[in-house]
Amino acid sequence: MNNMNQMMKQVKKMQEQMMKAQEELASKTVEGTSGGGVVTVTVSGHKQVQSISIKPEAVDPDDVEMLQDLVLTAVNDALSKADELANNDMGKFTNGMKIPGLF
């Protein structure tokens, strides 16, 4: 019975640490870029786009498709980095296991 109580305490402590790590992810940001830095997208650790920066040289009215591609590439780069950030921060609790709904 004592072992069960000890295990439950450890589980509760781990849950608290995971919740804190999840909260901290919201305040962390990563940047994705494309076109050599002419488009930069900042995303939170919870994969919310915080900002998009486009330098004037990226804007060509005759080639809107290129700008769209640059923005799309930068967003995908930032989201990939946000996934990596979450995996690094939360992976220490899950030992690399993917737990649905956790992150």
Side-chain angles (χ1 to χ4, degrees):
M1 189 67 152
N2 197 16
N3 284 340
M4 183 63 115
N5 286 337
Q6 186 67 17
M7 187 172 81
M8 293 303 289
K9 286 180 184 180
Q10 288 175 329
V11 168
K12 183 175 171 104
K13 182 178 178 181
M14 184 175 151
Q15 286 175 325
E16 290 169 358
Q17 291 172 334
M18 289 174 67
M19 292 297 290
K20 183 178 179 188
Q22 278 281 9
E23 290 171 8
E24 289 173 357
L25 271 176
S27 65
K28 293 181 179 181
T29 60
V30 292
E31 285 187 351
T33 61
S34 66
V38 295
V39 176
T40 302
V41 175
T42 303
V43 175
S44 75
H46 284 202
K47 297 185 190 177
Q48 294 181 334
V49 176
Q50 303 291 314
S51 67
I52 297 174
S53 172
I54 302 171
K55 292 185 178 177
E57 59 265 26
V59 181
D60 179 354
D62 296 325
D63 194 0
V64 173
E65 288 180 1
M66 183 181 74
L67 179 56
Q68 291 169 334
D69 288 342
L70 289 170
V71 171
L72 182 62
T73 301
V75 168
N76 286 331
D77 183 41
L79 291 176
S80 176
K81 289 177 180 176
D83 281 339
E84 187 176 315
L85 176 67
N87 287 334
N88 287 339
D89 283 7
M90 299 303 292
K92 59 189 166 198
F93 301 110
T94 63
N95 291 326
M97 291 186 305
K98 299 284 185 189
I99 300 174
L102 183 59
F103 55 92

